[in-house]
Amino acid sequence: VRGLQDVSRSAGGRDRSGLAGPLVGRQDELEQMLAAFERAIRGRAQVVSLVGEAGTGKSRLVAEFFAALEAAGRLESASVRRTTCSSFGEQAYGVLRAFLLEGYQLDPGEPLETAVAKLRAGLRALGSDEVEAERVALALAHMLGIESDEALRHLEPEQLRRQIFLATRLVVERRLQHGPLVLVVENLQSADTASIELLRFLVDRLSDRKLLLLVTYRPGFDAQVLLTARAAPTGIRLAPLGDAESAALVDGLLGASHGGVPPALH
């Protein structure tokens, strides 16, 4: 161990070991994701869920989705926030924490004044006035665990939860005024309860905005917790590849050397 990652990332992916091949057997799923993105940028919030066992290609499909959007120039005006939930467990509001730490270049160990100044400046840049920026920055800093505001510390838990939810909604609304927003959460089955409730709140309250929530998780997770009466859901289950698709994937991974591989090993 050398230190903390600045941004949480998926542990999957063959590219880190030098193995990369073409996308095989997932074109229909990719087209469903791209169609959901198009609906989102027309002003109807979307929730896209990728469910599959470990190794079925969820992270790869997410990567291909963004590569296709990038190639088509569809991300030029969009903001993207990504995080991967740890199997070791997450702190309360872990997903929001990750989005804020990345988006505002925050350090959990920095002084209150520094963190609030960064949050305040970011909110002002998005269009908040001074009063709103100060109020929201303090609520978010409290959630991050890097502030000691007396007024917030003495709120009842439900009151504090409401303050955090409303502050987060305001931040996302301000961001959406500048273009579409894509939120990506991988391994949602490891997310904390508060984060899941907050994500559901956002897509429900902002159902008429250019918002796309893309989540991945393993079978067994109750995806019903994200469903709302307003945001449109797209559920995609990744089944294992068939024999012919698996053979095509192996050929792609081996590249030009596949002809020298013994048939039994192939």
Side-chain angles (χ1 to χ4, degrees):
V1 177
R2 295 183 296 177
L4 293 172
Q5 287 187 144
D6 54 352
V7 178
S8 180
R9 297 182 178 86
S10 171
R14 293 177 297 272
D15 54 326
R16 297 188 180 188
S17 58
L19 290 172
L23 185 67
V24 174
R26 303 296 189 208
Q27 193 59 42
D28 289 345
E29 291 86 347
L30 179 58
E31 289 177 0
Q32 290 183 64
M33 295 169 69
L34 294 172
F37 176 83
E38 294 301 324
R39 291 193 293 273
I41 64 173
R42 289 197 295 268
R44 188 182 180 194
Q46 305 286 307
V47 179
V48 178
S49 303
L50 298 182
V51 55
E53 297 287 358
T56 51
K58 298 186 295 295
S59 295
R60 173 63 187 275
L61 192 52
V62 171
E64 293 289 341
F65 168 68
F66 281 106
L69 291 176
E70 190 73 42
R74 304 297 284 158
L75 291 178
E76 293 177 357
S77 63
S79 298
V80 179
R81 294 288 179 266
R82 304 181 63 165
T83 190
T84 299
C85 299
S86 170
S87 59
F88 295 110
E90 292 284 344
Q91 300 179 27
Y93 300 105
V95 170
L96 176 59
R97 288 169 57 90
F99 288 155
L100 291 175
L101 292 174
E102 175 190 7
Y104 292 90
Q105 301 298 302
L106 300 175
D107 182 345
E110 64 190 358
L112 166 65
E113 294 78 10
T114 304
V116 172
K118 289 181 180 179
L119 288 167
R120 188 190 303 116
L123 289 163
R124 291 299 305 277
L126 292 177
S128 294
D129 59 31
E130 291 186 11
V131 175
E132 181 181 84
E134 182 71 16
R135 173 172 53 84
V136 173
L138 286 173
L140 296 179
H142 183 92
M143 181 277 303
L144 289 168
I146 51 179
E147 71 86 45
S148 57
D149 182 73
E150 290 296 321
L152 289 174
R153 279 202 302 159
H154 291 90
L155 287 178
E156 293 294 325
E158 183 56 32
Q159 291 177 311
L160 181 58
R161 174 183 179 275
R162 189 178 302 113
Q163 290 286 342
I164 292 173
F165 273 47
L166 293 177
T168 305
R169 173 182 173 175
L170 192 145
V171 170
V172 174
E173 281 184 311
R174 292 295 187 191
R175 172 58 63 186
L176 285 166
Q177 290 173 1
H178 297 265
L181 176 62
V182 182
L183 302 177
V184 184
V185 185
E186 297 196 58
N187 293 342
L188 187 66
Q189 75 278 353
S190 297
D192 61 282
T193 301
S195 288
I196 294 172
E197 292 176 349
L198 179 56
L199 291 172
R200 185 183 186 279
F201 171 81
L202 289 174
V203 295
D204 183 68
R205 296 299 191 274
L206 302 173
S207 60
D208 59 346
R209 308 299 174 88
K210 299 178 180 181
L211 174 64
L212 172 65
L213 172 62
L214 171 58
V215 299
T216 74
Y217 53 86
R218 297 182 185 179
F221 174 75
D222 183 11
Q224 298 294 317
V225 296
L226 280 181
L227 295 182
T228 79
R230 301 177 183 179
T234 299
I236 302 173
R237 180 173 291 273
L238 299 185
L241 296 177
D243 290 344
E245 294 169 331
S246 297
L249 179 60
V250 170
D251 286 342
L253 292 172
L254 295 174
S257 63
H258 78 275
V261 175
L265 178 57
H266 185 281

